[in-house]
Amino acid sequence: MIPANNIEVFFNPRTVAVIGVSLNPMKLGNIIFRNFLESNFRGKVYPVNPRTETIYGAKAYSSVLKIPDEIELAVTALPAEATPGVILECVKKRVKGVIIVSGGFSEIGEEGRKREKEISETAKKVGLRVIGPNCIGVYDPESGVDTTFLPRYRMSRPQRGGIAFISQSGAFGAALLDWAATRGFGISKFISLGNKIDVDEIDCIQYLAEDEYTKVIALYLESTSDGRRLMDVARKTTPRKPIVALKAGATVESTRAVLSHTGSLAGSDHVYDAAFKQSGIIRADDPQDLFDIARALSAQPIPLGDRIAIITNGGGFGVMTVDFLVKYGLRLAEFSDKTLRSLGRKLPPITSKGNPLDLVADADGERYKIALESAMADENVDGLIVIALFQSPALQPDMVGVISDIGNRREKPILVCATGGDFTRVHTQMLERAGVPVYPSPNRVARAMAALVTYRRIRNQMAKNEATLTI
Amino acid sequence: MIPANNIEVFFNPRTVAVIGVSLNPMKLGNIIFRNFLESNFRGKVYPVNPRTETIYGAKAYSSVLKIPDEIELAVTALPAEATPGVILECVKKRVKGVIIVSGGFSEIGEEGRKREKEISETAKKVGLRVIGPNCIGVYDPESGVDTTFLPRYRMSRPQRGGIAFISQSGAFGAALLDWAATRGFGISKFISLGNKIDVDEIDCIQYLAEDEYTKVIALYLESTSDGRRLMDVARKTTPRKPIVALKAGATVESTRAVLSHTGSLAGSDHVYDAAFKQSGIIRADDPQDLFDIARALSAQPIPLGDRIAIITNGGGFGVMTVDFLVKYGLRLAEFSDKTLRSLGRKLPPITSKGNPLDLVADADGERYKIALESAMADENVDGLIVIALFQSPALQPDMVGVISDIGNRREKPILVCATGGDFTRVHTQMLERAGVPVYPSPNRVARAMAALVTYRRIRNQMAKNEATLTI
């Protein structure tokens, strides 16, 4: 058992103080305060602003010390210069956690580094936990905590789902949350780490390993404060819960860029690569890949093997998917004689009976159902890729039900590939919400399936290692 | 000069007969006839249906032979069995081109192959050109020809643009057109080739090489009928106009699948790879990649070198873009002293002055303008990647103008990276329409920039080869 550490307060505070809530609706403090008012947050939230009596009907306090209630979580968006003083007040108030969204710290140089040192020394003495600075904090769709200060019309918030997403960069996090939301991908928790003067990715992984809402941990990292500890924690986590990481700064050129971005040293890329492999962390190639893999792992069962069936209404997409399956080290399943006989009996002559199983352009939901049932029942098949090109008028909305009904049995993983415009988008979002991940290209669907197969291997390997260590 | 061949009739017919226009609005012939009525097609269109007097107010004819006008183009969606008879009638009517959208030919086996042979022999005798069968034909936003029979609510039609798109597979073509349309990517002409009993990709490349609306030729291929001729035609085309090709069937497994899809043999992949290289065809990795590369080539100037500047409001995206630039063989530009001095004077202290040039989260259009102007004027910079995360409230709609104004000077290529949801989509579509391609990930924007640099090398190399041959 990994003990849950004391960062729970960032996700489930009973009381929150937002420090520096301007009356100007464009200012960060104002936006964060409104986030709490407008979300499903069930705790109490107090605005701090010495220059006004009330804000949005709530009484404003001149300082966190004046709030007549215990405060568990404080969020500050005040300028960097004012932040050390705010932290001293929070310590006095016995606040348990502070999120500092403000910039102006180590990312701007020596002066900022001094401020960070002052804050972290103050906080450490009393065990106050700090997220940030230079971050957008936390978004938790379950509890309603939302310190991301980007307006909702610009950055949509994702629905509830199984992916916990930790991002060292705030802008990266915001762009990906927004992208995820409009595609119907759900998340369990989001944490933007920023300059990491206290809470880091290791704390988060430890916490999320025990979090019931989190099925997979997705991590965007530019540097780690403690590679050894990261590996230890990951090794204990990956046999139970997959971790997918995107590490920026793979080259000498980009390492320099990291330094000026979050004031940290990126470290040698091949060291990270080896460390990820040894601790069972799956490495993603780019932001889309991070979510592509995490979505498959959060929603679908892990396959027993690497033999994949492809079912399609577009021959070309089927052919290309074969290319990518082979590229990513998977095998094309060979249907059993029983399956072939059954398909021959039930499907029209024009359909191919091999794998890829080409149901041809006029395939309807019923034809897909026959194919899916057969592949699902075939012991030679470990996983299914379903290509559904919704441009075909034969595909009616019942397709969503056909795929998700069979998917919900959770016997073998099903991933869908669909490319198109607005009509396609409506259907893929329904599939996403029914727990079936959809990918826009043969490359990406095959890569996601390969990640499921990889995680099966990791889980077995890591569990074996752990067993050896325990003995 | 490559002589334009006689397939012009498919794109600019004066008169069209749609053969088999059912009264049922779900049937292919009906949809195709309506496409002509509803588009900007300026020629005359005649419906053929022996069982009715009028269709949508137009007089229906019992046979193409009964139409009291010369017919240049015929489109038939009648069942395969009826098609050879229709072709005989078209020959008698001296039709110049026929598009056969119907399936039921070589893709279903021996019987279908016989039908194809019969049709192609009939057509060849009189020089009748045939597209198909087993295809969705042609879409030309300029002339209004649209034989793609997918309803508009399922498959959006792209606006006018510089990409000609040839697809062997109809479903592949439909999915990609739909995708392109809702993202604001424009095309010049679309041709779905199907079983290629006559018109093939080589005819199309020859024709499109001379087409004024086409800036780049994008090709989805499963097999070629004549590799030698394809290479010859490509060699003559690529010094003037880039060709990007996606070839499916890279593995033994997928080669088998191609056979059942379009009834053709895929051929060995490394032979294609070598042929593409020798004839200057840029090879795409997957459907998204095909359009990613084609969009850059159709809209942006070719860079003089490989030194790229990155300008960003998100440090993490900047760092990752560096990784991919290096991966794809490009170099990070080193700003001249003059540029560094100018940036130091004009940009706030918090921004980085290196490359990537991190304008930080609160960057507005004005800050981008300073950065873009400086990079554009710097002789050490050959191309610009602009990362614009529209989640930031500081980015106003003027950003679109800032980028496209500088882009319109067409001095150096500008590609944009933006990730997000609906708000981002509105802005990226405006940029696309202003001629600045937008990509959703650091990987894809870097890859597209690398394709521009690659094409510069190809153009120089192919022009040199051609000069040698001419001497």
Side-chain angles (χ1 to χ4, degrees), chain B residues 370-393:
Chain B
I370 293 166
L372 279 160
E373 293 280 8
S374 302
M376 206 44 125
D378 191 325
E379 59 189 12
N380 293 345
V381 174
D382 297 312
L384 281 74
I385 290 178
V386 181
I387 299 163
L389 301 175
F390 283 97
Q391 289 78 27
S392 162

Side-chain angles (χ1 to χ4, degrees), chain B residues 373-421:
Chain B
E373 293 280 8
S374 302
M376 206 44 125
D378 191 325
E379 59 189 12
N380 293 345
V381 174
D382 297 312
L384 281 74
I385 290 178
V386 181
I387 299 163
L389 301 175
F390 283 97
Q391 289 78 27
S392 162
L395 282 196
Q396 298 296 325
D398 70 321
M399 255 305 273
V400 173
V402 166
I403 296 175
S404 56
D405 282 354
I406 296 173
N408 279 339
R409 294 189 213 146
R410 302 187 60 78
E411 291 160 5
K412 295 171 183 175
I414 298 184
L415 302 179
V416 170
C417 175
T419 300

Side-chain angles (χ1 to χ4, degrees), chain A residues 227-253:
Chain A
R228 183 56 52 193
R229 244 186 87 223
L230 174 59
M231 283 179 70
D232 283 347
V233 169
R235 259 198 218 101
K236 286 175 188 144
T237 305
T238 51
R240 283 172 209 90
K241 225 173 245 191
I243 304 176
V244 193
L246 173 62
K247 167 73 176 63
T251 54
V252 177
E253 290 87 342

Side-chain angles (χ1 to χ4, degrees), chain A residues 108 150-151 153-155 171-172 174-176 178-179 182-183 220 222 246 248-251 253-254 257-258 260-261 285-288 314-317 319-320 322-324 326 332 350 352 356 358 389-393 395-396 419-425 440-444, chain B residues 108 150-151 153-155 171-172 174-176 178-179 182-183 220 222 246 248-251 253-254 257-258 260-261 285-288 314-317 319-320 322-324 326 332 350 352 356 358 389-393 395-396 419-425 440-444:
Chain A
I108 63 149
L150 299 157
Y153 75 93
R154 285 189 184 256
M155 188 193 99
F172 179 93
L176 271 281
D178 185 22
W179 176 72
T182 44
R183 272 152 189 82
Y220 168 67
E222 296 182 354
L246 173 62
T251 54
E253 290 87 342
S254 59
V258 164
S260 80
H261 179 217
D285 285 339
D286 80 354
Q288 293 183 333
F317 266 68
V319 171
M320 256 179 296
V322 175
D323 284 340
F324 285 104
V326 173
L332 211 53
I350 197 171
S352 83
D358 187 355
L389 300 175
F390 282 98
Q391 289 78 28
S392 161
L395 282 196
Q396 298 296 325
T419 299
D422 290 329
F423 186 82
T424 296
R425 194 188 187 191
S441 77
N443 185 356
R444 287 168 62 183
Chain B
I108 64 151
L150 299 157
Y153 75 92
R154 283 186 187 260
M155 189 193 96
F172 180 94
L176 271 280
D178 185 22
W179 177 72
T182 44
R183 270 153 190 82
Y220 168 67
E222 295 182 355
L246 174 62
T251 54
E253 291 86 344
S254 59
V258 164
S260 80
H261 179 215
D285 285 339
D286 79 354
Q288 293 185 332
F317 266 67
V319 171
M320 257 180 294
V322 175
D323 284 341
F324 285 104
V326 173
L332 210 54
I350 196 169
S352 83
D358 187 355
L389 301 175
F390 283 97
Q391 289 78 27
S392 162
L395 282 196
Q396 298 296 325
T419 300
D422 291 328
F423 185 82
T424 295
R425 194 186 187 193
S441 77
N443 185 357
R444 287 166 64 182

Side-chain angles (χ1 to χ4, degrees), chain B residues 12-207:
Chain B
N12 272 308
R14 205 180 47 79
T15 50
V16 177
V18 182
I19 300 170
V21 182
S22 161
L23 290 170
N24 179 345
M26 301 294 286
K27 295 285 185 180
L28 307 194
N30 182 296
I31 296 172
I32 293 169
F33 182 62
R34 266 185 298 147
N35 282 347
F36 278 100
L37 296 184
E38 290 167 7
S39 80
N40 54 323
F41 182 62
R42 287 170 300 264
K44 282 185 188 157
V45 56
Y46 299 96
V48 175
N49 178 343
R51 286 191 222 96
T52 182
E53 293 292 311
T54 60
I55 294 171
Y56 298 121
K59 179 173 163 46
Y61 297 88
S62 59
S63 142
V64 70
L65 292 168
K66 296 286 170 68
I67 300 171
D69 194 353
E70 283 182 13
I71 293 297
E72 295 195 340
L73 175 66
V75 186
T76 171
L78 287 177
E81 314 83 76
T83 308
V86 163
I87 299 300
L88 281 173
E89 291 188 344
C90 287
V91 166
K92 214 164 166 185
K93 183 73 183 170
R94 300 181 185 229
V95 170
K96 292 178 183 164
V98 180
I99 298 174
I100 308 172
V101 301
S102 334
F105 292 87
S106 59
E107 78 281 6
I108 64 151
E110 193 44 40
E111 193 188 351
R113 261 190 293 278
K114 262 193 237 157
R115 270 181 212 133
E116 283 188 3
K117 200 160 169 255
E118 198 181 333
I119 292 169
S120 68
E121 280 170 4
T122 309
K124 205 165 279 171
K125 266 183 225 156
V126 294
L128 170 67
R129 301 306 308 260
V130 179
I131 287 181
N134 187 24
C135 74
I136 61 172
V138 168
Y139 167 65
D140 183 331
E142 188 61 38
S143 70
V145 171
D146 181 2
T147 70
T148 70
F149 45 79
L150 299 157
R152 278 159 202 266
Y153 75 92
R154 283 186 187 260
M155 189 193 96
S156 305
R157 271 43 167 194
Q159 59 178 330
R160 289 178 178 92
I163 303 172
F165 174 30
I166 309 166
S167 176
Q168 189 162 350
S169 156
F172 180 94
L176 271 280
L177 283 188
D178 185 22
W179 177 72
T182 44
R183 270 153 190 82
F185 311 158
I187 72 150
S188 58
K189 285 175 175 60
F190 165 74
I191 311 119
S192 152
L193 295 171
N195 295 3
K196 303 198 281 191
I197 64 167
D198 174 30
V199 174
D200 61 13
E201 67 284 356
I202 305 164
D203 296 311
C204 292
I205 291 171
Q206 262 186 323
Y207 176 78

